[in-house]
Amino acid sequence: MAHDLPGWVAELTDPRRARTLDELADRLVPLAEHAIDVSRRLQAQLNELNDPFKREALYGRVERLKARAGEALEEITAEIAASGDERLDRLWADWAERAGTGGRDARDAREEELRRLLDRDVVPVLSRSRRDVAERVAARTSGALEEATQTLLTRVEELARAVTDLITEVLPLAREGLALANRVSGLSAQARKAGRGPIPAELKDAGAGTARAFDEAVARLELEWAALGARSASVRAALRAAEESAFSHVTEEMTRCVEELAPEHVRALNEAEARARALFGGPAQDRPAT
């Protein structure tokens, strides 16, 4: 800040302390450059603030939600399939332990017969249960995804309206900075055209007035630029939170659905396992007549 700098800084840079036309012209140039810089930074902030609400960004946000929901559904579907496979693997392990290693030909023949019986009597039961649970979870997921997407779009739309109002409010300030830069540049050019030597009273008053206007305007612009940066961070955080909330809604509904269907699925697994154990523990059955 100005009070932290040595006194000679203002003495050598403040247009109000210029003694000649050349000094006045030279000291006005950095003011114009500063006004342009802060105006451009402010406009860049506004563009960055508006970017997440463009069509491409909105489409990408919805597609990310769908992709994440799809991945979560695939994981659950794989877990459902694994639950049946684990039962069968356990049965085969138990049978192999009981069968031992003797009589390899007879053991292989028995294994082939058991696999045929499992494929006929047990695997279809597991497959139906697995398919039924997966389809019901998928249906609930689809409904939850549709609802979550609509909520997400509504929230983004509400946030977009607020951001649009903010941009409409702040944009004139950025233009004010550019207008001030033109005013300062024009005065600098006027001073150079006036020649050399002492500064005429009219130009001296104009320089002092322009310097005061610069101090006031740039202070407002710098303050607004800092505040806009904080608002931009809040908007980005809000968009991330809305997206995560939408995904959480989908996964919570999936979890509830799985919990509701779990008892029925476990009963189906138990029945299939009991049927399989009866096959494993009993004599080989003849193939049905064709």
Side-chain angles (χ1 to χ4, degrees):
M1 290 185 291
H3 63 267
D4 293 329
L5 301 176
W8 59 263
V9 173
E11 184 68 30
L12 297 181
T13 61
D14 191 341
R16 286 162 290 200
R17 301 192 184 186
R19 292 170 297 179
T20 66
L21 288 166
D22 284 341
E23 287 183 358
L24 177 61
D26 291 341
R27 296 182 185 193
L28 287 170
V29 172
L31 270 60
E33 293 174 348
H34 189 172
I36 292 172
D37 173 69
V38 70
S39 295
R40 286 178 175 172
R41 281 188 282 124
L42 195 56
Q43 287 181 328
Q45 280 275 34
L46 293 174
N47 291 335
E48 182 180 340
L49 188 61
N50 187 58
D51 283 344
F53 301 98
K54 292 180 178 178
R55 182 182 299 275
E56 297 80 5
L58 182 60
Y59 176 80
R61 190 167 288 110
V62 172
E63 288 302 306
R64 276 196 305 274
L65 176 60
K66 291 180 179 179
R68 294 176 68 186
E71 291 172 0
L73 181 60
E74 287 178 1
E75 291 178 5
I76 289 179
T77 302
E79 291 174 2
I80 294 170
S83 63
D85 294 340
E86 288 170 1
R87 296 288 185 110
L88 291 178
D89 291 343
R90 187 164 62 243
L91 286 171
W92 278 115
D94 292 345
W95 178 83
E97 185 177 351
R98 292 197 310 271
T101 57
R104 182 177 181 83
D105 291 341
R107 183 175 183 274
D108 290 346
R110 175 60 175 162
E111 180 177 346
E112 181 180 352
E113 178 67 7
L114 286 174
R115 290 190 183 280
R116 182 185 68 81
L117 294 173
L118 285 176
D119 289 342
R120 187 191 70 184
D121 298 339
V122 178
V123 172
V125 175
L126 291 176
S127 297
R128 282 195 300 271
S129 175
R130 187 163 50 201
R131 185 169 56 251
D132 179 62
V133 172
E135 288 175 353
R136 291 160 74 178
V137 172
R140 286 276 288 274
T141 300
S142 178
L145 179 60
E146 183 177 351
E147 183 179 348
T149 300
Q150 187 57 52
T151 300
L152 175 62
L153 293 175
T154 299
R155 287 175 171 171
V156 171
E157 183 180 354
E158 292 173 351
L159 197 57
R161 285 198 297 268
V163 167
T164 298
D165 291 343
L166 178 60
I167 292 174
T168 302
E169 176 185 343
V170 175
L171 188 58
L173 292 177
R175 292 170 178 163
E176 177 185 343
L178 295 177
L180 176 63
N182 287 333
R183 174 182 170 185
V184 173
S185 297
L187 184 61
S188 176
Q190 185 179 350
R192 292 195 188 282
K193 289 180 181 179
R196 299 178 179 274
I199 305 172
E202 181 180 351
L203 276 179
K204 196 171 189 64
D205 291 342
T210 300
R212 285 194 300 272
F214 169 84
D215 291 341
E216 295 171 0
V218 169
R220 288 197 307 274
L221 290 171
E222 291 284 7
L223 183 61
E224 193 60 47
W225 176 77
L228 194 60
R231 292 190 187 106
S232 296
S234 297
V235 168
R236 290 192 297 271
L239 288 171
R240 285 194 300 270
E243 195 169 336
E244 289 303 317
S245 176
F247 180 63
S248 295
H249 175 75
V250 176
T251 55
E252 287 169 4
E253 188 63 24
M254 293 169 65
T255 301
R256 279 194 295 270
C257 183
V258 170
E259 290 173 350
E260 293 170 5
L261 297 176
E264 180 180 342
H265 182 57
V266 170
R267 281 195 299 272
L269 291 178
N270 290 340
E271 292 172 2
E273 182 175 355
R275 185 177 301 181
R277 286 192 180 278
L279 295 174
F280 276 53
Q285 298 181 8
D286 295 331
R287 295 176 184 271
T290 59

